[in-house]
Amino acid sequence: MNWPDLSMGGYGFYVWGSYLFALLAIVWELVTLSYRRKSREQEKAAPEVLRGTTNETTS
Amino acid sequence: MNLYKYASPTNFYPLAGKIIPWFATPAAILFGVGLFVGFFIAPPDFQQGDAYRIMFIHVPAAWLGMFLYILMAIYAGIGWAFNARLASMMASSISITGAMFTFLSLVTGAFWGKPTWGTWWVWDARMTSTLILLFLYIGFISLQSSIDDPRRADRAGAVLALVGVINVPIIYFSVQWWNTLHQGATIRILQKPTIHGSMLWAMLIMLAACWLYSVAVVLIRVRCIIVEREQNANRFVEATV
């Protein structure tokens, strides 16, 4: 096992910057998804909404 | 067991809820393992030093961006051809995650390009075709959002998605067809990989993590879409009765 040099041999800005962007993108997706779920209150509404629908696979 | 019944959004909704943890949990574990192997086990590259470690997020993001587009087009095509509502909903759900990964591949590619090529961006065949892929995703999402009737939105989106598929082989083969700054494929199915085993394992583990993450997020989003569309349909019925 090699302990990585945090400065990444002088490339730290680029390496950590790319991973920070990846983290931000994933967090953004999860937060917007969570917001979408909550805003629709679907956890409570879902059974009610789906109860009135048919099992049709086509519109 | 009748799998066909799960083509109905109403039946698929609870099934998706049950299987999400089976993808989300391994995704979180594999992200941790992949980063550990990539930063603690894999050695520095003899030419690029530690800058190459961007590869562990850049390559999975680029592959997922392309693969999710093909998957989105297949679902959109099935939804259009067979009037299958769930398939169209899946296409809508995949589009946002696919766009996110494509955007991520462009940004991490720029972060990798600056120290190795000396520039953040060039109008190179690989990068330009990947940018077009991002525009196709954005076009699909915008087109679907701009049409109120979901069935019409699905049909319009399907046409765009299917036409745009032609861009995926262009991205993949661009490094062979044109002289580009971007390096050629390091990993090929029928040939021995040209990178160190630990680097390859780190990349494959991160790829698996990104793939499992995508499935989990797409399933969560498709559950939202199912409820939103059924809510809208019920409101429409109530308003017209």
Side-chain angles (χ1 to χ4, degrees):
Chain A
M1 193 173 91
N2 314 308
W3 282 96
D5 170 21
L6 287 179
S7 70
M8 291 283 139
Y11 298 118
F13 171 75
Y14 305 104
V15 176
W16 298 125
S18 61
Y19 281 91
L20 180 66
F21 245 99
L23 182 68
L24 287 175
I26 288 171
V27 167
W28 167 82
E29 187 171 32
L30 293 176
V31 168
T32 51
L33 202 50
S34 167
Y35 180 76
R36 188 172 180 174
R37 284 178 67 186
K38 282 179 186 165
S39 67
R40 294 282 175 173
E41 292 180 349
Q42 68 172 42
E43 291 304 324
K44 277 164 64 176
E48 293 298 321
V49 169
L50 296 177
R51 194 168 294 149
T53 63
T54 65
N55 277 348
E56 288 172 359
T57 57
T58 59
S59 52
Chain B
M1 187 178 171
N2 181 15
L3 287 175
Y4 181 73
K5 72 175 184 177
Y6 292 112
S8 155
T10 312
N11 291 333
F12 186 74
Y13 184 90
L15 176 71
K18 282 179 192 164
I19 61 177
I20 285 166
W22 293 97
F23 291 96
T25 309
I29 294 168
L30 286 181
F31 269 125
V33 174
L35 290 173
F36 177 79
V37 176
F39 280 90
F40 288 88
I41 307 287
D45 182 70
F46 82 103
Q47 266 186 328
Q48 298 186 29
D50 286 313
Y52 89 95
R53 294 186 202 277
I54 296 170
M55 173 180 81
F56 302 132
I57 190 67
H58 172 73
V59 175
W63 283 356
L64 259 294
M66 286 191 288
F67 184 78
L68 288 176
Y69 191 90
I70 295 172
L71 201 60
M72 179 186 84
I74 291 170
Y75 271 120
I78 291 171
W80 186 24
F82 300 106
N83 203 17
R85 291 189 303 152
L86 183 61
S88 300
M89 292 176 189
M90 284 296 287
S92 302
S93 181
I94 290 168
S95 63
I96 296 170
T97 304
M100 189 276 281
F101 274 117
T102 307
F103 176 72
L104 196 56
S105 77
L106 289 168
V107 171
T108 54
F111 270 104
W112 198 1
K114 182 63 179 166
T116 51
W117 299 339
T119 181
W120 295 96
W121 179 265
V122 282
W123 292 101
D124 165 273
R126 172 61 68 86
M127 283 175 270
T128 307
S129 53
T130 305
L131 184 65
I132 291 170
L133 183 73
L134 179 63
F135 291 156
L136 283 166
Y137 273 123
I138 293 170
F140 180 89
I141 295 164
S142 306
L143 189 60
Q144 287 218 314
S145 307
S146 64
I147 301 172
D148 288 334
D149 179 3
R151 288 169 300 176
R152 283 183 57 227
D154 289 339
R155 280 197 293 271
V159 174
L160 179 63
L162 289 169
V163 170
V165 165
I166 192 68
N167 188 47
V168 176
I170 292 174
I171 296 172
Y172 187 79
F173 292 108
S174 59
V175 288
Q176 295 173 31
W177 292 344
W178 295 285
N179 286 323
T180 69
L181 203 52
H182 197 283
Q183 70 174 69
T186 309
I187 299 165
R188 292 178 188 194
I189 295 168
L190 300 175
Q191 290 174 17
K192 198 178 172 188
T194 55
I195 59 172
H196 190 272
S198 58
M199 296 176 184
L200 179 66
W201 272 111
M203 200 170 72
L204 293 177
I205 293 167
M206 288 294 282
L207 177 67
C210 288
W211 173 234
L212 290 165
Y213 164 83
S214 299
V215 175
V217 169
V218 164
L219 288 176
I220 294 169
R221 189 178 295 110
V222 83
R223 277 165 56 92
C224 294
I225 294 171
I226 289 170
V227 172
E228 285 165 8
R229 288 202 182 181
E230 298 302 346
Q231 273 179 336
N232 289 340
N234 287 356
R235 280 189 200 129
F236 177 75
V237 170
E238 284 166 12
T240 51
V241 170

